[in-house]
Amino acid sequence: MQPTSKRLVTEATVGEHVLTNLPANLQPAALDATYAPAAIARRAVYGPRWVFDGDSITINGISALYGNQDRSRTWTSELARLSMGRINYVYNAAVAGYRIDQLLARFDAFVAPQDPDVVLLTAGTNDIRQGRSMALWKADLLAYYEKVKAIGADLIVGAIWPSSDDSSAHAPTARTWNNELYAWAAANNVQVIPWDTLADPATGGWPAGWSSDLLHPTLLDSYAVIGKLGWQSVEPKVGPPVVRRAVTNGADALANGFFTTLTAVQAPPSLTAGTADTASGTLPAGTYSYKYTSRTFWGESLPSAERSVVLSATGKITVTNGTVSGSRGYNVYRKGPSDTAWKFITYLNSSVTTSFVDDGSIAAGTDMSGVDTSQYPTGLVSGSTTAHKIGPVTVTEAGIRGRIYRSMPLDGSAAAPNDYFPITVTAGETYDISCLIRSTGTTEGILIARFRNASSVAIGQVYVARDRMVNGWGLAAHRVTMPADTVTLRLSFEQTDSSSTGYAEFAEVRCQKV
């Protein structure tokens, strides 16, 4: 199946692109009402259980670590996140390089034991590349379908992926096989997710800039776009929302409350002295007033009481200040003789100096905002020496219960934020970890479960969410078992690396022992 016109596939256009290129008999209105209706009624948290199966594009960044699956970059995680808990993502059975016959041989050992309600299978790329016949592929597809039905689950199939690698004449062969897949699916009342509509119509391969090796879509927002296409395709059949979303003040929230109790406040420093000196300096004569604010990883305090100094002639002014426990440093603001607003002058590192000399060499900067962002979540510990700011942490948006935590580099810094809650656990315990999460710009928002032993030595980590989540708010959820020797779980809220721009936001954080 081919789109009828060439167009750039982006996150903004993917929904329209998919629906306009679906065959008429597979438009959402023609689909059966709901996947796994019985499962929706009996599973109270996170909806029906889903297992994903396929090859390297489906498994992508997911790996098995410490008895857990590491939910790194992949479209499957993005699809589940966008479902807001209507998909309970329990397992990814995909294996890089596998054909459908190999996936079929693994079904009883890797898929069936997960007790899925829905299995989403995408297979065929490696069958084509490894020279199998379409007849064998279709026979194995039917056998796979029968196995899914035998365990009482529903099957969804993905169309064969686009590929820009023409060494095996993939594109024309994939079109033929996909036509057969759509016909087979219609005859068996199986939904197809039209991954083939993502292809560049002129080449049959991935859109420009999506793939560095011509086979895997790992660049730009490719996995975010694929995940959104997947969710838009299955949403009409997933059923009504039944998830008990992360609770911010209730029995299934941890005692520390995460971002719900923002009563800890960073105080400003006191300005202990201010002296004028006309022996040197280029500051014009007049009355100068100063205010300081405290800076932490998470925000900026309200300003201190002002300190005014009269300079009788051209010179300089020295201001000294006290210190505030927990502050990373202090912002200095000034209002000069001709100023109508307080202006930013400089930042003082609290570990270096408690004295500032204003000699006229520093140009005044931006106006002081007067917005207090000094409240920080109870129990949060800085994971590095990186400065942060929360932004509108006390703002609750429509549809969000509790406050929102924003993580971003401070004042344009390229450093990557890293904050965490330390939680006392016991090896072998299992926790459901979830939060609402989104990101902007080039930022990859990250929620990680990090494991530490009694000596605070790192045992390992598991990603709950990691990607450029540019599709808005979604619910990332993962069941994680504590590895041997673990005594502390560090639930970390991070961004990817020093090249990130924009910010990541977290809300409704939940970490509940099962």
Side-chain angles (χ1 to χ4, degrees), residues 250-261:
D252 62 344
L254 286 184
N256 64 19
F258 292 107
F259 307 146
T260 63
T261 308

Side-chain angles (χ1 to χ4, degrees), residues 309-398:
V309 179
V310 176
L311 191 61
S312 60
T314 299
K316 63 184 179 182
I317 295 172
T318 300
V319 180
T320 58
N321 62 279
T323 59
V324 178
S325 177
S327 290
R328 301 301 302 177
Y330 310 103
N331 281 358
V332 178
Y333 296 91
R334 183 187 69 196
K335 181 186 283 187
S338 60
D339 292 331
T340 58
W342 293 91
K343 300 287 187 179
F344 174 78
I345 299 300
T346 191
Y347 172 82
L348 302 179
N349 188 323
S350 63
S351 64
V352 175
T353 179
T354 56
S355 178
F356 166 63
V357 178
D358 186 11
D359 61 3
S361 62
I362 302 176
T366 59
D367 291 355
M368 182 167 56
S369 70
V371 176
D372 181 11
T373 62
S374 64
Q375 288 185 317
Y376 51 90
T378 303
L380 196 62
V381 177
S382 61
S384 69
T385 57
T386 303
H388 298 65
K389 61 182 176 183
I390 288 178
V393 69
T394 59
V395 173
T396 297
E397 295 183 8

Side-chain angles (χ1 to χ4, degrees), residues 246-248 253 258-259 434-436 491 493 506-511:
V247 175
T248 53
F258 292 107
F259 307 146
S434 66
C435 78
L436 295 182
L491 198 57
F493 306 88
F506 307 83
E508 297 190 25
V509 183
R510 180 174 181 263
C511 185

Side-chain angles (χ1 to χ4, degrees), residues 381-384 386 388 407 416-420 450 492-495:
V381 177
S382 61
S384 69
T386 303
H388 298 65
S407 178
N418 173 5
D419 300 312
Y420 66 88
R450 299 187 185 277
S492 295
F493 306 88
E494 305 183 10
Q495 291 176 225

